[in-house]
Each structure stands twice: as structure tokens, then as C-alpha cells.
Amino acid sequence: MDKGLNANNDFLGQFNQEEFLMEAKSFFEINRKEIGDVAKSSEKIVKINFQEFSEFSPRLSEYLLERPEETIQVLEIALEELEWAPKKARVRFTSISPLQEMFIRNIRAINLGKLIGIEGIVRQASEVRPLVTNARFECPSCGTIISVLQFDKKFKEPSRCSCGRRGGFKLLDKEMVDAQVLTIEEASDNLSGGEQPKRMTIYLKEDLVDPRMEMRTTPGSRVKIIGILKEIA
């Protein structure tokens, strides 16, 4: 994992990368016992209460809401650098700011890329299937290995190699995780008379499709989802 952060990135503002990581580590030190228990049980999931996180560091919590993917990555890097924390830990927030909780019908383009919370009824749940998250290719011309992160449903290949070659790359291997797709519908008690409920597609992966979660995501279950809003094709 690349642990470098661009200190000139607007995301960091007046933080430099060391300050960012140190503040994240300080937060985890406060919760050392709980996180240590996670490591002892051989689990990988570190759960964080947003209110506690926000009270500890308003700046980090603001970054989380505005740039959630980058912030969570920093938190996971900080955990990796703590000897007593679980290795390859994943961070999950169990709550969110009330200002980020919204109805599906009120979601707009301004919310793309942000951390939001929605509530609804599970109407459909796919089977758990493998999902490609990263693929490595080899350039036949020069032997360069090219990694391509897979964020969308359509499998992506390299557009070109540094040697100038375009296309015809050899697939070496894929990194995969378990994933599931849910369709969530607004609950009727959140609607005004005559309104039709809106729906949203939810993508779950890794620990969120653990067998222990299946009872919570069966059709008819009422769920609260905290996640990052993304545009899909």
C-alpha cells in the first residue's frame, strides 16, 4: 500500500501528511482497548461512532464527510502503522452526522462522492458474487506490469502503456471480493399522501456480505445504510 499523501492537496488543507496520520493514531489510542479486542479476536473490522470521531477532531470529521474515500484510506493506514491494531483492518462508521441523513428522493448531484445515510426497505437482494477490484496486465511490447483499479461494473483494461503501446495487453490476475447488490425503497411512513416511493441501488462488499449480515438484508427488512454516493452507468 502506498502510504504517501500529497501535502499540497486541497483535501489536506493546513494538515501535512504527518499531522493527519498522527491525529488519526491519537484517536485510535483513545479507543485502544476496543480496537485491541478486535485484533485479539482475529477480526479486521474497526467500527467508529461518528459523534465520538467528530468530538475528537472536527477537522478530520469534516474531511470524512467531504472526501470520505481518502479519509478512510488515511485511517486504515494509521491503523496499519499501530503495532497493537489488527493488520489490514477496514474502517466502518456505524453512525453519521444528522445533516448527512436524507431521503432517497432528496439526493442530488451535489451529494456525489460524499458520505450519506439513507433508510428504507430492502425490495431486492442479489446473490453474493465475486467482484473484481483490481486487475494486473502485462504489456507484450516491453513487459511492464500495469495495475488497473476496477470501480465500475464494466471491466476496465489499460488504455496505453508507457512505451506507447495501445491495447492487446495480457491479463495476469485479478483481485476479487464478495459483493451483493440491494434495491432499497423509501418506507411508506416517510412519504406524504400520494407520493410514490423512490428506489436506490446499494452495493455491498467484503464484510458487509458476511453470512452474519444475511438476515439483515433479506427483502422486507428495514435498513439504514451509511455509504459513499457514486454515479453508475
Side-chain angles (χ1 to χ4, degrees):
M1 178 183 290
D2 184 0
K3 296 184 179 180
L5 296 173
N6 182 357
N8 295 318
N9 193 316
D10 290 340
F11 164 58
L12 290 175
Q14 296 181 351
F15 267 142
N16 63 41
Q17 60 181 353
E18 291 304 319
E19 288 177 325
F20 201 108
L21 287 169
M22 285 179 64
E23 190 145 349
K25 290 177 183 178
S26 296
F27 172 75
F28 291 131
E29 287 285 354
I30 294 175
N31 298 278
R32 181 166 182 162
K33 182 182 183 304
E34 292 82 355
I35 298 173
D37 290 341
V38 172
K40 291 176 183 177
S41 64
S42 298
E43 294 287 339
K44 303 288 185 183
I45 308 304
V46 173
K47 298 179 180 179
I48 299 178
N49 178 284
F50 178 81
Q51 184 175 351
E52 293 179 4
F53 186 68
S54 178
E55 289 174 353
F56 175 82
S57 176
R59 290 189 296 179
L60 282 183
S61 62
E62 181 181 349
Y63 288 137
L64 173 72
L65 297 178
E66 290 298 315
R67 302 291 292 272
E69 287 188 292
E70 291 93 331
T71 307
I72 290 173
Q73 181 185 34
V74 170
L75 292 172
E76 291 175 349
I77 290 172
L79 282 170
E80 192 69 20
E81 294 184 356
L82 294 172
E83 294 183 357
W84 48 266
K87 298 305 175 186
K88 297 183 179 179
R90 301 307 304 268
V91 166
R92 302 292 186 202
F93 279 83
T94 59
S95 60
I96 194 173
S97 166
L99 296 176
Q100 301 303 116
E101 295 180 351
M102 58 187 64
F103 296 122
I104 294 174
R105 66 183 54 250
N106 294 333
I107 293 174
R108 298 291 184 268
I110 194 174
N111 304 121
L112 285 171
K114 306 296 175 59
L115 191 68
I116 65 171
I118 63 170
E119 187 175 311
I121 308 297
V122 178
R123 290 307 180 202
Q124 295 179 337
S126 73
E127 295 182 2
V128 176
R129 300 181 183 277
L131 174 72
V132 180
T133 57
N134 187 42
R136 294 195 315 135
F137 299 83
E138 181 180 18
C139 175
S141 299
C142 67
T144 297
I145 305 300
I146 306 169
S147 292
V148 180
L149 294 175
Q150 306 291 324
F151 294 112
D152 305 314
K153 291 187 292 183
K154 184 178 180 181
F155 185 70
K156 289 187 176 181
E157 298 185 3
S159 58
R160 62 174 295 171
C161 178
S162 57
C163 72
R165 182 185 178 93
R166 295 177 181 271
F169 299 101
K170 179 183 178 182
L171 177 63
L172 297 179
D173 56 54
K174 302 175 182 177
E175 295 178 11
M176 309 187 78
V177 297
D178 289 332
Q180 184 181 34
V181 180
L182 304 181
T183 299
I184 304 296
E185 183 179 88
E186 291 175 320
S188 58
D189 55 5
N190 289 330
L191 303 176
S192 300
E195 287 185 324
Q196 294 299 310
K198 301 295 185 180
R199 293 190 171 192
M200 173 171 280
T201 302
I202 307 294
Y203 291 86
L204 306 178
K205 63 182 181 179
E206 300 177 24
D207 57 291
L208 298 178
V209 297
D210 185 281
R212 292 173 293 184
M213 294 287 291
E214 288 183 347
M215 293 299 293
R216 302 183 187 181
T217 57
T218 55
S221 300
R222 186 163 185 153
V223 295
K224 184 173 182 179
I225 304 289
I226 297 173
I228 300 170
L229 182 67
K230 293 188 177 183
E231 185 177 13
I232 59 175

